[in-house]
Amino acid sequence: MSAAHDYGLDDDYEWPRPPVGGWTADDLDKLPNLPPHTELIDGSLVFVSPQTNFHSRVIRLLDNALLAQVPDGLDVQREMTIKLDKRNRPEPDVLVFKADADTGPGQTWYRPEDVVLAVEVVSKDSEERDREAKPRKYATAGIPHYWRVEQNDGLPVVHVYELDPMTKSYVPMGIFHNRLKLAVPFPVDIDLTAVDRRR
């Protein structure tokens, strides 16, 4: 039996084979049958594991809280890719972007110069990407703010970073437990203990 059969696919199913030099950012919109939330990192397709309850609830909390507090001229989106360059199109869990960068319902990615904040919620299969690879790439592309969310006893802990434009690298600005209160990129006040709270 083939691996394709193990995943409920026909035995003659062919997995995507990268072209010489790897996939490009534009290929993500053209490749058929990609799983949801496929990312492109260094020309390679990255397939994500199913989300945990914690991961999903943190995304919902941050998405809702940021949307309620974002100023005019900015907007919030979850799980949309950023076309960093020809070989990199990662998908942050939540992002804040310039509202005028919204091109309509068919849009599938944003430019890095339009992104104000990228947020990654760390899961077991994304630890290295969320802690090392993605922040390095976001910083190089000039995205001014990055938040990395870790789990501690079922609650989110937010590591906040701000871009040093001279070095094109992120500088740690604080680690937030229970409450995330910031003045930049705009005034934000989020009760992190509300992650499991319903309306």
Side-chain angles (χ1 to χ4, degrees):
M1 283 193 175
S2 72
H5 188 269
D6 293 342
Y7 290 97
L9 302 170
D10 294 333
D11 284 333
D12 59 351
Y13 178 81
E14 292 195 25
W15 298 94
R17 292 189 179 113
V20 175
W23 301 107
T24 68
D26 291 332
D27 291 331
L28 271 189
D29 291 328
K30 300 172 189 169
L31 287 166
N33 304 319
L34 287 178
H37 311 298
T38 300
E39 298 180 285
L40 184 73
I41 305 291
D42 295 328
S44 295
L45 298 176
V46 176
F47 306 120
V48 298
S49 298
Q51 286 186 356
T52 63
N53 199 17
F54 172 80
H55 193 273
S56 182
R57 286 176 186 252
V58 170
I59 292 173
R60 181 179 64 190
L61 171 70
L62 295 178
D63 182 39
N64 289 337
L66 288 170
L67 196 54
Q69 299 176 44
V70 73
D72 291 341
L74 296 178
D75 202 352
V76 181
Q77 187 63 274
R78 57 187 291 165
E79 301 165 322
M80 281 280 285
T81 59
I82 305 170
K83 191 188 284 190
L84 299 180
D85 55 40
K86 183 179 177 182
R87 295 171 41 85
N88 290 281
R89 198 167 140 190
E91 181 183 289
D93 291 308
V94 180
L95 57 88
V96 175
F97 62 96
K98 297 173 185 171
D100 60 5
D102 186 330
T103 62
Q107 185 171 359
T108 59
W109 54 269
Y110 292 99
R111 302 177 310 164
E113 56 266 33
D114 293 323
V115 178
V116 174
L117 166 68
V119 182
E120 296 288 358
V121 181
V122 177
S123 55
K124 285 197 183 298
D125 73 332
S126 71
E127 288 176 351
E128 193 281 331
R129 288 191 308 274
D130 294 344
R131 293 174 182 164
E132 302 291 335
K134 285 185 176 183
R136 189 171 55 249
K137 291 177 183 301
Y138 293 152
T140 300
I143 295 173
H145 300 274
Y146 176 68
W147 298 353
R148 188 185 82 242
V149 184
E150 303 273 356
Q151 182 180 179
N152 183 29
D153 293 328
L155 291 176
V157 176
V158 183
H159 299 251
V160 173
Y161 299 87
E162 191 170 330
L163 183 67
D164 178 341
M166 294 296 291
T167 63
K168 288 280 189 172
S169 61
Y170 286 124
V171 176
M173 303 304 290
I175 301 172
F176 295 82
H177 303 256
N178 298 325
R179 185 178 183 192
L180 174 62
K181 189 169 184 179
L182 300 168
V184 292
F186 51 88
V188 172
D189 192 351
I190 303 173
D191 178 5
L192 299 174
T193 67
V195 68
D196 290 322
R197 191 177 305 152
R198 292 202 252 165
R199 288 181 186 255

